[in-house]
């Protein structure tokens, strides 16, 4: 057996615990972006007029030219499936009965990675329009999971 072949008797995964805690701050643009999702059910990006690039999620500075970005653009709640994958295992490694569909939903020149629902794996297509379905307002926490899922538009 070469080094590139997988030993069929090797364990598929190692179980363990990593006692890691972290604190992630949204930053100025992230705070406004997530507040709009939580409070308004709206998705915003920021535009770099120098590069003609629309960042979604919104950011404070253009990663191309380093300009400060102050033009906020509401991009709507319907985007386009740019790519997707099917998840056949749950987080803890158990097999799913039906695969989860996770897509990069394109907005502007960026997009959001989120799950798709309300369609089968046979129905998902790159380029299809999908609309964000938000959790009820009293269940939102200021997270990307305030968007419950994306469903086919229309
Ligand atoms: Zn720029």
């Amino acid at each position: 057996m070469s080094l590139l072949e997988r030993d069929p008797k090797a364990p598929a995964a190692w179980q363990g615990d990593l006692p890691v805690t972290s604190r992630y701050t949204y930053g100025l643009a992230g705070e406004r972006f997530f507040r709009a999702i939580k409070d308004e059910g709206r998705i915003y990006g920021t535009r770099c007029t120098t590069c003609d690039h629309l960042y979604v999620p919104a950011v404070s500075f253009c990663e191309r030219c380093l300009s400060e970005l102050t033009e906020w653009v509401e991009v709507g709640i319907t985007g386009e499936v740019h790519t997707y994958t099917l998840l056949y295992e749950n987080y803890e490694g158990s097999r799913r009965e039906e695969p989860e569909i996770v897509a990069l939903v394109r907005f502007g020149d960026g997009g959001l990675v989120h799950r798709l629902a309300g369609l089968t794996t046979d129905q998902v297509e790159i380029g299809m329009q999908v609309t964000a379905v938000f959790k009820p307002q009293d269940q939102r926490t200021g997270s990307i999971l305030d968007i419950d899922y994306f469903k086919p538009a229309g």
Side-chain angles (χ1 to χ4, degrees):
M1 181 170 69
S2 82
L3 290 175
L4 297 178
E5 293 179 65
R6 187 176 187 286
D7 180 352
K9 291 182 239 164
W14 282 266
Q15 298 297 319
D17 293 310
L18 291 175
V20 175
T21 56
S22 61
R23 183 174 177 186
Y24 175 79
T25 61
Y26 287 144
L28 293 175
E31 194 275 342
R32 184 170 170 184
F33 173 81
F34 284 109
R35 186 174 297 281
I37 286 177
K38 178 176 182 266
D39 295 344
E40 305 168 31
R42 294 179 178 175
I43 300 169
Y44 283 91
T46 47
R47 182 185 311 281
C48 178
T49 53
T50 305
C51 299
D52 191 27
H53 195 86
L54 178 56
Y55 289 89
V56 180
V59 294
S60 294
F61 292 92
C62 178
E63 65 185 30
R64 297 170 170 209
C65 72
L66 304 180
S67 294
E68 183 175 3
L69 304 182
T70 57
E71 183 183 335
W72 284 72
V73 178
E74 184 180 355
V75 296
I77 61 169
T78 298
E80 178 184 298
V81 173
H82 184 71
T83 189
Y84 68 93
T85 191
L86 305 178
L87 304 181
Y88 287 90
E89 288 186 4
N90 292 307
Y91 181 71
E92 79 284 355
S94 64
R95 186 86 178 163
R96 296 180 59 88
E97 285 188 27
E98 295 294 326
E100 181 97 74
I101 308 168
V102 175
L104 171 60
V105 180
R106 189 173 180 93
F107 289 94
D109 295 307
L112 305 175
V113 174
H114 219 295
R115 66 190 194 96
L116 304 184
L119 74 171
T120 65
T121 56
D122 295 341
Q123 294 171 316
V124 63
E125 292 179 12
I126 289 174
M128 74 185 300
Q129 300 288 301
V130 290
T131 299
V133 176
F134 292 84
K135 288 181 177 169
Q137 184 114 35
D138 63 351
Q139 294 177 24
R140 297 182 199 162
T141 62
S143 146
I144 196 64
L145 298 178
D146 290 348
I147 298 171
D148 204 5
Y149 56 88
F150 281 82
K151 68 175 185 180

mmCIF file of all heavy atoms in Angstrom, residues 48-53 55 61-67 69, ligand 1:
data_model
loop_
_atom_site.group_PDB
_atom_site.id
_atom_site.type_symbol
_atom_site.label_atom_id
_atom_site.label_comp_id
_atom_site.label_asym_id
_atom_site.label_seq_id
_atom_site.Cartn_x
_atom_site.Cartn_y
_atom_site.Cartn_z
ATOM 1 N N CYS A 48 -17.669 49.438 -3.234
ATOM 2 C CA CYS A 48 -16.473 50.218 -3.501
ATOM 3 C C CYS A 48 -16.662 50.854 -4.868
ATOM 4 O O CYS A 48 -16.711 50.147 -5.888
ATOM 5 C CB CYS A 48 -15.208 49.358 -3.488
ATOM 6 S SG CYS A 48 -13.741 50.352 -3.879
ATOM 7 N N THR A 49 -16.796 52.163 -4.876
ATOM 8 C CA THR A 49 -17.013 52.859 -6.146
ATOM 9 C C THR A 49 -15.731 52.891 -6.975
ATOM 10 O O THR A 49 -15.789 52.937 -8.197
ATOM 11 C CB THR A 49 -17.534 54.290 -5.902
ATOM 12 O OG1 THR A 49 -16.639 54.947 -5.002
ATOM 13 C CG2 THR A 49 -18.928 54.254 -5.304
ATOM 14 N N THR A 50 -14.585 52.833 -6.324
ATOM 15 C CA THR A 50 -13.313 52.827 -7.057
ATOM 16 C C THR A 50 -13.168 51.539 -7.863
ATOM 17 O O THR A 50 -12.779 51.552 -9.026
ATOM 18 C CB THR A 50 -12.132 52.958 -6.068
ATOM 19 O OG1 THR A 50 -12.318 54.125 -5.280
ATOM 20 C CG2 THR A 50 -10.803 53.016 -6.799
ATOM 21 N N CYS A 51 -13.491 50.400 -7.250
ATOM 22 C CA CYS A 51 -13.323 49.088 -7.889
ATOM 23 C C CYS A 51 -14.616 48.586 -8.533
ATOM 24 O O CYS A 51 -14.600 47.543 -9.181
ATOM 25 C CB CYS A 51 -12.866 48.063 -6.865
ATOM 26 S SG CYS A 51 -11.292 48.453 -6.098
ATOM 27 N N ASP A 52 -15.714 49.327 -8.334
ATOM 28 C CA ASP A 52 -17.027 48.866 -8.788
ATOM 29 C C ASP A 52 -17.283 47.434 -8.304
ATOM 30 O O ASP A 52 -17.544 46.525 -9.087
ATOM 31 C CB ASP A 52 -17.154 48.952 -10.315
ATOM 32 C CG ASP A 52 -18.598 48.736 -10.757
ATOM 33 O OD1 ASP A 52 -19.519 49.022 -9.962
ATOM 34 O OD2 ASP A 52 -18.806 48.244 -11.878
ATOM 35 N N HIS A 53 -17.163 47.261 -6.999
ATOM 36 C CA HIS A 53 -17.312 45.936 -6.391
ATOM 37 C C HIS A 53 -18.291 46.049 -5.233
ATOM 38 O O HIS A 53 -18.145 46.929 -4.381
ATOM 39 C CB HIS A 53 -15.941 45.459 -5.891
ATOM 40 C CG HIS A 53 -15.888 44.003 -5.580
ATOM 41 N ND1 HIS A 53 -15.619 43.044 -6.528
ATOM 42 C CD2 HIS A 53 -16.077 43.346 -4.407
ATOM 43 C CE1 HIS A 53 -15.623 41.853 -5.959
ATOM 44 N NE2 HIS A 53 -15.903 42.006 -4.672
ATOM 45 N N TYR A 55 -19.613 44.362 -2.006
ATOM 46 C CA TYR A 55 -19.299 43.342 -1.003
ATOM 47 C C TYR A 55 -20.555 42.921 -0.246
ATOM 48 O O TYR A 55 -21.273 43.752 0.293
ATOM 49 C CB TYR A 55 -18.278 43.876 0.009
ATOM 50 C CG TYR A 55 -16.897 44.036 -0.552
ATOM 51 C CD1 TYR A 55 -16.503 45.222 -1.166
ATOM 52 C CD2 TYR A 55 -15.982 42.995 -0.488
ATOM 53 C CE1 TYR A 55 -15.240 45.366 -1.697
ATOM 54 C CE2 TYR A 55 -14.705 43.133 -1.010
ATOM 55 C CZ TYR A 55 -14.345 44.321 -1.616
ATOM 56 O OH TYR A 55 -13.088 44.462 -2.143
ATOM 57 N N PHE A 61 -13.886 48.048 4.631
ATOM 58 C CA PHE A 61 -12.807 48.462 3.744
ATOM 59 C C PHE A 61 -12.734 47.521 2.542
ATOM 60 O O PHE A 61 -12.963 46.322 2.669
ATOM 61 C CB PHE A 61 -11.460 48.451 4.487
ATOM 62 C CG PHE A 61 -11.371 49.499 5.544
ATOM 63 C CD1 PHE A 61 -11.739 49.214 6.850
ATOM 64 C CD2 PHE A 61 -10.937 50.786 5.229
ATOM 65 C CE1 PHE A 61 -11.682 50.195 7.835
ATOM 66 C CE2 PHE A 61 -10.878 51.774 6.206
ATOM 67 C CZ PHE A 61 -11.247 51.480 7.512
ATOM 68 N N CYS A 62 -12.379 48.088 1.410
ATOM 69 C CA CYS A 62 -12.222 47.287 0.197
ATOM 70 C C CYS A 62 -10.921 46.505 0.294
ATOM 71 O O CYS A 62 -9.862 47.074 0.543
ATOM 72 C CB CYS A 62 -12.192 48.191 -1.031
ATOM 73 S SG CYS A 62 -11.935 47.278 -2.574
ATOM 74 N N GLU A 63 -11.021 45.207 0.104
ATOM 75 C CA GLU A 63 -9.808 44.384 0.194
ATOM 76 C C GLU A 63 -8.928 44.532 -1.050
ATOM 77 O O GLU A 63 -7.810 44.069 -1.065
ATOM 78 C CB GLU A 63 -10.162 42.920 0.420
ATOM 79 C CG GLU A 63 -10.900 42.274 -0.723
ATOM 80 C CD GLU A 63 -11.342 40.854 -0.401
ATOM 81 O OE1 GLU A 63 -11.611 40.544 0.772
ATOM 82 O OE2 GLU A 63 -11.417 40.061 -1.352
ATOM 83 N N ARG A 64 -9.456 45.189 -2.075
ATOM 84 C CA ARG A 64 -8.672 45.382 -3.304
ATOM 85 C C ARG A 64 -7.864 46.672 -3.263
ATOM 86 O O ARG A 64 -6.699 46.684 -3.623
ATOM 87 C CB ARG A 64 -9.603 45.401 -4.513
ATOM 88 C CG ARG A 64 -10.323 44.095 -4.699
ATOM 89 C CD ARG A 64 -11.402 44.210 -5.744
ATOM 90 N NE ARG A 64 -11.904 42.878 -6.043
ATOM 91 C CZ ARG A 64 -12.412 42.523 -7.197
ATOM 92 N NH1 ARG A 64 -12.505 43.402 -8.175
ATOM 93 N NH2 ARG A 64 -12.841 41.298 -7.388
ATOM 94 N N CYS A 65 -8.520 47.771 -2.867
ATOM 95 C CA CYS A 65 -7.846 49.083 -2.923
ATOM 96 C C CYS A 65 -7.727 49.731 -1.545
ATOM 97 O O CYS A 65 -7.173 50.819 -1.436
ATOM 98 C CB CYS A 65 -8.583 50.009 -3.884
ATOM 99 S SG CYS A 65 -10.168 50.595 -3.273
ATOM 100 N N LEU A 66 -8.278 49.065 -0.516
ATOM 101 C CA LEU A 66 -8.220 49.514 0.874
ATOM 102 C C LEU A 66 -9.009 50.802 1.142
ATOM 103 O O LEU A 66 -8.849 51.408 2.184
ATOM 104 C CB LEU A 66 -6.764 49.672 1.346
ATOM 105 C CG LEU A 66 -5.898 48.423 1.198
ATOM 106 C CD1 LEU A 66 -4.490 48.687 1.696
ATOM 107 C CD2 LEU A 66 -6.516 47.238 1.933
ATOM 108 N N SER A 67 -9.872 51.197 0.219
ATOM 109 C CA SER A 67 -10.729 52.359 0.464
ATOM 110 C C SER A 67 -11.725 52.043 1.572
ATOM 111 O O SER A 67 -12.191 50.910 1.695
ATOM 112 C CB SER A 67 -11.530 52.699 -0.795
ATOM 113 O OG SER A 67 -10.702 53.138 -1.829
ATOM 114 N N LEU A 69 -15.317 51.969 2.923
ATOM 115 C CA LEU A 69 -16.579 51.805 2.202
ATOM 116 C C LEU A 69 -17.712 52.399 3.034
ATOM 117 O O LEU A 69 -17.972 51.958 4.143
ATOM 118 C CB LEU A 69 -16.842 50.328 1.908
ATOM 119 C CG LEU A 69 -15.719 49.627 1.142
ATOM 120 C CD1 LEU A 69 -16.087 48.180 0.865
ATOM 121 C CD2 LEU A 69 -15.386 50.359 -0.143
HETATM 122 ZN ZN1 LIG B 1 -11.835 49.107 -3.975
#
